[in-house]
Every structure is written in structure tokens, then in C-alpha cells.
Amino acid sequence: MRCIVLLMTMILVGSCSTTKKTVDFSQNKVVAHRGAWKAKNLPENSIASLQEAIRMQCAGSEFDVRMTANDSLIITHDPDYANLEIEESPYEDLSKFPLKNGEVLPTLRQYILAGLENNTTTRLVCEIKPSKNKKRGLIIAEKVYNLINELNAQHMVVYISFSYDILKRLEELNPEVHTQYLDGSKSPEVLKRDGIDGADYYLSVFKKHPEWITSAKKNKIALNAWTVNEEEDMEWFLKNDFDYITTNEPELLLKKTAQP
């Protein structure tokens, strides 16, 4: 009996150890905005563009999450898709319209599973889109968090949002998650006070408030900027040693990060 228990323990330990691969995140700072889509004419926010970002070993691949009328979490940027308002439409109706490469409109579950496959280098940068209804936005945050938990993917995910309430709810659920605010309206000191981990602001915000760069580093707030597509801007953010740089031109930025 003791041998059987020991054998079962070994099987359980072995099976658990395969659920989470050893991760060595890329240090190149490059976050592919909605995946790496532009160079190969892939759909934005597609599994194909995610896989391309992983193939390139970008530091991160960003994507957008919304919730349908029947509570399906899907990957898409705008509040409407195929002329249908997402919050008022069931997934069954939305999924009738494939992406331009033939992919079915991906669900968050499908997207995260694809992001875990053959990926030990690229963070999954999850933007939770605010809802028109604040309470619904918090429900979306909880559903996203719970699904990522279910898929054993928390260690791979960075959460970003324009909704401060969504980020604070995520921190309440688990203070160990990594959150970054997108709105650009709060100083690093305020982010630190409220338990938010990063400032992910539009590029002009940091040029208007260069003191926030110094403050963020002092307060150990991660620095990210979007959407950085011009070479001159890339060089500016690299010179200021940002942790992440979000871009529609990951190939160009990777070349720049590789330069001595």
C-alpha cells in the first residue's frame, strides 16, 4: 500500500511539473501591439499574430479582451465587430464573421492556450477593455482573472487597462499579479500608493512629464510606452531605459535593441 501511495505521489508531482514550463522572458523590451501583424499582413489580435510575436521572441505580445452579451470573453479591440455591438451580441453571432486570415474570432481561452504553447519567452499582455457599465467592467476583470488562473497562466500575464477600478480589483484578487495603467493621468507616486505596478502611457505623456521617468524608477514602477512606431521615438525610450516599449513595428525595434 505504501508503494502505491508513493507511486501515485510521484505521478501527481510529475504531472503538475509539466503544467508550467520554465520561463526565461526575453529582455529585449519589445511588446508587439496586438501581436506581430503588420509585416506579414496578419489580422490584429489574431492567434497568428500572437504566434508570430512568440516566434520572434518579443518580450511581450499585447491583446484586447471584451465580453459579449452571453458573457463570452473574446479577443478584439473595438466595441463593435462586423457591425455588431459586442456587449449586445452573443458570441454565436459574432463568430459567424471570421478574421481576414480565416481564423474564427478567438476566445480568451483559445488565445491563452495558444500563448502557452511553445512559449518560454513572451509575456501575454492582457488589456481588459472597460465596459459602459462600471459594475460589468469589474465582473469582466474577475472572469478574465479566474480563467487565466484556471489555465495556470498567471505567471505569463501582465494586465493593463484604461480602467483604474479594473486594475485595483485585480490587485484585490491577487496582489501578486502585475498591473499597468494606460490612461496617463496618474503619477508614479499615486500608482505605488494604490498598488499598481506600472505606468503604460501614450508616448507623449512621458515627454511632457520626464520627471515621471525618474520617479517611476525610484518607486520601482515599471515603465511602458505606446504606441512607439517611429525610429526617433524608439531611440528616445531606449535611451531612457524603459522596461517595455509597445509598438506596431516589432521587427524594427528588435533590430534597435540588438544594437550595441
Side-chain angles (χ1 to χ4, degrees):
M1 182 67 180
R2 182 179 177 185
C3 291
I4 294 173
V5 172
L6 179 60
L7 178 60
M8 289 300 295
T9 301
M10 290 173 66
I11 292 171
L12 287 170
V13 170
S15 64
C16 289
S17 66
T18 61
T19 60
K20 187 183 289 187
K21 297 178 181 178
T22 301
V23 177
D24 183 18
F25 288 123
S26 296
Q27 301 301 308
N28 55 46
K29 305 176 184 286
V30 179
V31 176
H33 185 230
R34 305 177 199 167
W37 53 271
K38 190 173 181 181
K40 293 190 174 181
N41 195 31
L42 300 170
E44 301 176 33
N45 273 322
S46 63
I47 288 175
S49 66
L50 166 65
Q51 291 171 333
E52 179 65 6
I54 293 170
R55 185 194 68 79
M56 292 166 59
Q57 298 188 353
C58 294
S61 186
E62 184 265 356
F63 58 97
D64 304 289
V65 180
R66 292 185 181 275
M67 191 167 75
T68 67
N70 60 338
D71 295 350
S72 294
L73 298 168
I74 62 171
I75 311 303
T76 192
H77 180 269
D78 295 339
D80 56 86
Y81 177 78
N83 295 319
L84 296 172
E85 189 172 350
I86 290 168
E87 292 197 350
E88 303 297 329
S89 305
Y91 178 69
E92 290 74 19
D93 289 349
L94 296 162
S95 63
K96 292 176 183 176
F97 302 92
L99 306 184
K100 69 178 183 180
N101 65 342
E103 277 184 39
V104 175
L105 180 66
T107 64
L108 178 62
R109 178 181 292 274
Q110 293 165 343
Y111 199 90
I112 295 297
L113 288 173
L116 294 175
E117 187 174 348
N118 299 319
N119 178 18
T120 59
T121 58
T122 304
R123 293 170 178 83
L124 307 177
V125 183
C126 175
E127 179 176 347
I128 302 177
K129 290 293 187 181
S131 172
K132 293 181 291 185
N133 179 291
K134 178 180 174 180
K135 184 178 179 181
R136 191 173 193 271
L138 298 180
I139 292 171
I140 295 171
E142 292 176 11
K143 285 182 175 290
V144 170
Y145 173 83
N146 289 334
L147 178 57
I148 290 172
N149 232 24
E150 176 191 331
L151 298 177
N152 295 314
Q154 292 293 355
H155 65 294
M156 298 292 291
V157 174
V158 173
Y159 295 98
I160 63 177
S161 186
F162 281 95
S163 168
Y164 211 58
D165 291 321
I166 282 175
L167 297 180
K168 288 169 72 174
R169 181 64 185 130
L170 290 167
E171 292 286 353
E172 289 172 1
L173 291 168
N174 181 358
E176 297 303 313
V177 299
H178 185 92
T179 54
Q180 297 181 7
Y181 189 44
L182 288 167
D183 184 73
S185 60
K186 297 185 185 295
S187 70
E189 292 86 355
V190 172
L191 297 178
K192 182 178 181 180
R193 181 198 69 195
D194 292 338
I196 307 302
D197 303 297
D200 183 0
Y201 294 163
Y202 183 62
L203 58 92
S204 65
V205 172
F206 290 111
K207 293 187 176 185
K208 184 178 179 181
H209 294 284
E211 72 278 7
W212 284 4
I213 300 173
T214 303
S215 173
K217 292 176 180 179
K218 178 181 177 182
N219 287 286
K220 297 182 180 179
I221 295 295
L223 285 166
N224 192 352
W226 56 272
T227 305
V228 183
N229 298 326
E230 303 298 327
E231 287 192 57
E232 182 179 350
D233 291 324
M234 291 177 182
E235 290 166 0
W236 192 89
F237 287 102
L238 287 170
K239 181 180 178 181
N240 281 280
D241 195 26
F242 269 54
D243 299 290
Y244 307 102
I245 303 172
T246 300
T247 180
N248 290 329
E249 306 283 355
E251 296 83 2
L252 176 58
L253 185 53
L254 280 170
K255 289 179 183 178
K256 294 213 165 280
T257 62
Q259 293 174 358

